[in-house]
Amino acid sequence: MAGIPAADGIRSVQAFSPQVIQHGASGEDVIELQARLQYLGFYNGKIDGVFGWGTYWALRNFQYEFGLEIDGLAGSKTKQKLEKASEYDKGYVQEQIRKGKKFTHYGGTPKEQQVKQDGNQQARNKGNQGGNNQQGTTAEPTAVNVPGGFSQNDIRLMANAVHGEARGEPYEGKVAVAAVILNRVESPTFPNTVSGVIFEPRAFTAVADGQIWLTPNESAEKAVLDAINGWDPTGEATYYFNPNTATSGWIWSRPQIKQIGKHIFCL
């Protein structure tokens, strides 16, 4: 079934303390929490070390999309998942905070673009509202000079997904996998961000089996850009599967559009 992979080589410079982090907390653990959530596109507020409602709802959305218990608490399992999925350069982040610079986004762009000074540089944000998010937004940051308003993190995640799902497929099949992700983002049936689609619980087998962390090649990255720029070989498919390995009877009930390589694409 449509499975999705991401990057190998992601390493933490610093890890959380053993304490459970919850609403109302403050300090270095909260700074790390906010930075990691912002790195993944769940949090677009100020990295200030104060666990307010924006951080709370961002954390709940992260827990939902990563298949964790949705309690708004950063306990051991949530912190482990955050550490595995993101990077955190403690020295760099805290140095910028000491200098009085306010982060507009963290991760996925050159460091000089990750902070704003004097309020002049504004981050363009792509909405990532959770279904029950009433008190805070979790808009995903958008990087500079990236097609279609997608962030560098979006493109990296999609390239990892394409590589993990279609590295043995023809180039058209790689573009097709990227197109399915984009079609899901645009569909009201699925989450409305790239990270939300890719990490939706039980949506993609490569997330479950760890292939999401494989390092993508140049072909996968090019396929993502082709899809973002409008090439959809699937005919607007939102599902795909390998008929030789699919174990779900349900997927066979979906209206089929076409086969590209080993994958059948369907609605």
Side-chain angles (χ1 to χ4, degrees), residues 167-187:
R167 60 185 177 274
E169 295 295 297
Y171 184 72
E172 182 182 4
K174 296 176 183 179
V175 178
V177 169
V180 166
I181 298 170
L182 295 176
N183 291 341
R184 288 190 175 191
V185 171
E186 295 299 321
S187 170

Side-chain angles (χ1 to χ4, degrees), residues 9 17 20 39 44 49-50 86 95 116 119 131 144 157 168 172 177 181 185 190 192 199 219 230 253 259-260 264 266:
S17 77
V20 174
Y39 184 93
N44 75 322
V50 178
S86 63
E95 179 185 1
K116 69 176 180 180
V144 178
L157 281 173
E172 182 182 4
V177 169
I181 298 170
V185 171
F190 299 93
N192 65 352
F199 293 111
S219 177
S253 70
Q259 182 163 350
I260 304 173
I264 294 175
C266 45

Side-chain angles (χ1 to χ4, degrees), residues 79-266:
K79 288 187 289 186
Q80 287 169 10
K81 189 72 73 172
L82 276 166
E83 289 168 10
K84 187 174 181 180
S86 63
E87 296 179 13
Y88 175 57
D89 187 336
K90 177 180 179 180
Y92 171 74
V93 171
Q94 296 201 347
E95 179 185 1
Q96 304 310 312
I97 293 173
R98 285 195 298 271
K99 290 179 178 178
K101 297 181 179 180
K102 298 179 180 180
F103 277 93
T104 55
H105 54 282
Y106 173 70
T109 62
K111 286 185 175 178
E112 63 270 16
Q113 297 175 3
Q114 292 177 13
V115 295
K116 69 176 180 180
Q117 301 180 54
D118 303 322
N120 292 325
Q121 180 184 342
Q122 298 297 325
R124 293 175 300 144
N125 295 307
K126 182 180 174 183
N128 180 26
Q129 293 281 359
N132 59 351
N133 186 348
Q134 300 295 321
Q135 304 191 49
T137 62
T138 54
E140 184 165 339
T142 301
V144 178
N145 298 325
V146 176
F150 291 89
S151 73
Q152 292 283 1
N153 286 337
D154 290 334
I155 292 175
R156 184 188 61 185
L157 281 173
M158 289 179 65
N160 289 335
V162 168
H163 183 70
E165 282 297 295
R167 60 185 177 274
E169 295 295 297
Y171 184 72
E172 182 182 4
K174 296 176 183 179
V175 178
V177 169
V180 166
I181 298 170
L182 295 176
N183 291 341
R184 288 190 175 191
V185 171
E186 295 299 321
S187 170
T189 308
F190 299 93
N192 65 352
T193 63
V194 169
S195 61
V197 165
I198 290 176
F199 293 111
E200 187 175 21
R202 298 173 294 280
F204 294 97
T205 55
V207 172
D209 64 19
Q211 291 188 72
I212 189 71
W213 306 116
L214 297 175
T215 302
N217 57 25
E218 187 175 330
S219 177
E221 295 172 355
K222 185 175 183 297
V224 168
L225 294 177
D226 278 341
I228 288 175
N229 286 322
W231 184 15
D232 182 357
T234 75
E236 301 185 353
T238 49
Y239 296 92
Y240 65 89
F241 67 99
N242 184 331
N244 297 319
T245 59
T247 57
S248 168
W250 172 87
I251 193 64
W252 286 96
S253 70
R254 306 302 303 181
Q256 296 182 12
I257 301 173
K258 64 192 297 186
Q259 182 163 350
I260 304 173
K262 294 180 180 179
H263 289 137
I264 294 175
F265 292 83
C266 45

